[in-house]
Amino acid sequence: MIYPTINPIALDLGFAQIYWYGLMYLLAFVTAYLLANYRAKQARGWNSQQIEDLIFYGAIGVIVGGRLGYMLFYNLPNFVADPLSIFAIQGGGMSFHGGFLGVLLAMALFNRKYKKSFFVTMDFVAPLVPLGLGFGRIGNFINGELWGKVTTSPLGMYIQEQGVSRYPSQLYEALLEGLVLFVILWIFSNKPRPLMSVSALFLIFYGIFRFIIEFVRVPDEQLGYLAFDWLTMGQLLSLPMIVLGIYLFYKSKNRQA
């Protein structure tokens, strides 16, 4: 396979440029909104105003948390040297784990407004997230960033600008963290489940998928490997998710849906 070099600018209006990366985020939020409205019809206690606010709060959490998380977890020296670089998002540079923390905070504020239980909201939200993650990884692929390691495997993709074949780890993540995780959570949540169990599955499977894919993904150049010549920041941040997910799933057995 040959990497089809794509112009990261989807539309140049002269006075403004629209990037594919931004369009992927827009597609993620629109998809989450549509799925949320569908789920609201199946669940009690949700109305259209709450869904609109849910997506708005979530979008702010993703964007602010994702960008701030990237600068703090992956690019701290540059952030300290040039704090305004946090606004240069057109070329990518978002952290899932930062976005995840941002969404947790945003949902806490949402729950405070509507007097909802934290895990009632998070169990509702969890199945809405994976497809958006998949779109984000497709944005990484279009940007030609976050490549996998050099390989001679037929699963690799030849990058003409680099003159080597690499694992298209962005597409692996789009598949596992996006489509596969969505299918798991959507099917699981279609029946009444104990409180926290849907959130727990999200944490477990996202953490596992991300941890595995990091073995074929090139670590961020500014960080490299953190230990053992294989442990990356992505793996380090995913481990607590897996542990917490297993703990919550165990606890959920004693909870009512």
Side-chain angles (χ1 to χ4, degrees):
M1 295 183 291
I2 298 177
Y3 173 63
T5 303
I6 304 171
N7 188 339
I9 301 174
L11 186 61
D12 191 342
L13 302 176
F15 61 90
Q17 296 175 329
I18 300 176
Y19 286 77
W20 284 110
Y21 193 72
L23 289 178
M24 291 299 105
Y25 271 77
L26 177 61
L27 186 58
F29 297 139
V30 170
T31 302
Y33 175 75
L34 296 175
L35 292 175
N37 276 289
Y38 178 84
R39 282 179 62 79
K41 296 176 182 178
Q42 320 299 320
R44 297 177 181 178
W46 292 90
N47 58 48
S48 58
Q49 182 60 54
Q50 291 174 347
I51 294 301
E52 291 175 5
D53 280 355
L54 180 77
I55 300 303
F56 175 75
Y57 278 66
I60 297 299
V62 167
I63 295 172
V64 175
R67 184 58 178 171
L68 186 58
Y70 173 80
M71 300 305 288
L72 294 178
F73 298 148
Y74 295 94
N75 208 19
L76 184 58
N78 288 340
F79 180 44
V80 172
D82 182 16
L84 293 180
S85 64
I86 193 171
F87 298 108
I89 63 174
Q90 66 273 14
M94 298 284 282
S95 161
F96 162 79
H97 296 93
F100 176 70
L101 294 175
V103 168
L104 292 183
L105 177 58
M107 292 303 99
L109 296 175
F110 172 86
N111 288 336
R112 183 176 181 181
K113 177 177 180 179
Y114 287 105
K115 304 298 189 291
K116 287 183 177 291
S117 163
F118 181 76
F119 279 107
V120 167
T121 298
M122 294 311 299
D123 282 355
F124 182 85
V125 167
L128 313 179
V129 175
L131 289 183
L133 297 179
F135 292 136
R137 293 309 180 192
I138 292 174
N140 294 142
F141 180 76
I142 293 174
N143 276 352
E145 60 188 2
L146 306 184
W147 277 106
K149 298 176 180 178
V150 174
T151 181
T152 57
S153 167
L155 296 177
M157 182 168 284
Y158 183 74
I159 309 170
Q160 292 178 314
E161 292 182 355
Q162 300 181 17
V164 296
S165 291
R166 294 184 179 274
Y167 289 111
S169 54
Q170 318 97 318
L171 299 184
Y172 299 164
E173 291 189 81
L175 175 63
L176 292 179
E177 300 165 11
L179 182 59
V180 174
L181 183 56
F182 168 73
V183 171
I184 291 172
L185 295 179
W186 194 261
I187 292 176
F188 182 79
S189 62
N190 268 342
K191 295 181 180 179
R193 300 294 182 181
L195 191 67
M196 300 191 299
S197 61
V198 180
S199 300
L201 278 191
F202 175 87
L203 292 170
I204 293 169
F205 281 102
Y206 177 87
I208 291 173
F209 291 155
R210 178 66 182 271
F211 194 93
I212 292 173
I213 293 172
E214 287 285 320
F215 282 111
V216 298
R217 177 174 154 176
V218 176
D220 290 74
E221 182 178 355
Q222 64 272 23
L223 291 179
Y225 291 109
L226 302 183
F228 314 119
D229 290 328
W230 60 265
L231 182 68
T232 67
M233 178 62 79
Q235 290 173 321
L236 183 64
L237 295 173
S238 295
L239 280 174
M241 295 182 67
I242 299 172
V243 174
L244 179 59
I246 293 173
Y247 171 74
L248 291 178
F249 196 79
Y250 175 79
K251 281 196 67 177
S252 73
K253 294 180 179 180
N254 300 320
R255 299 264 184 161
Q256 293 297 318

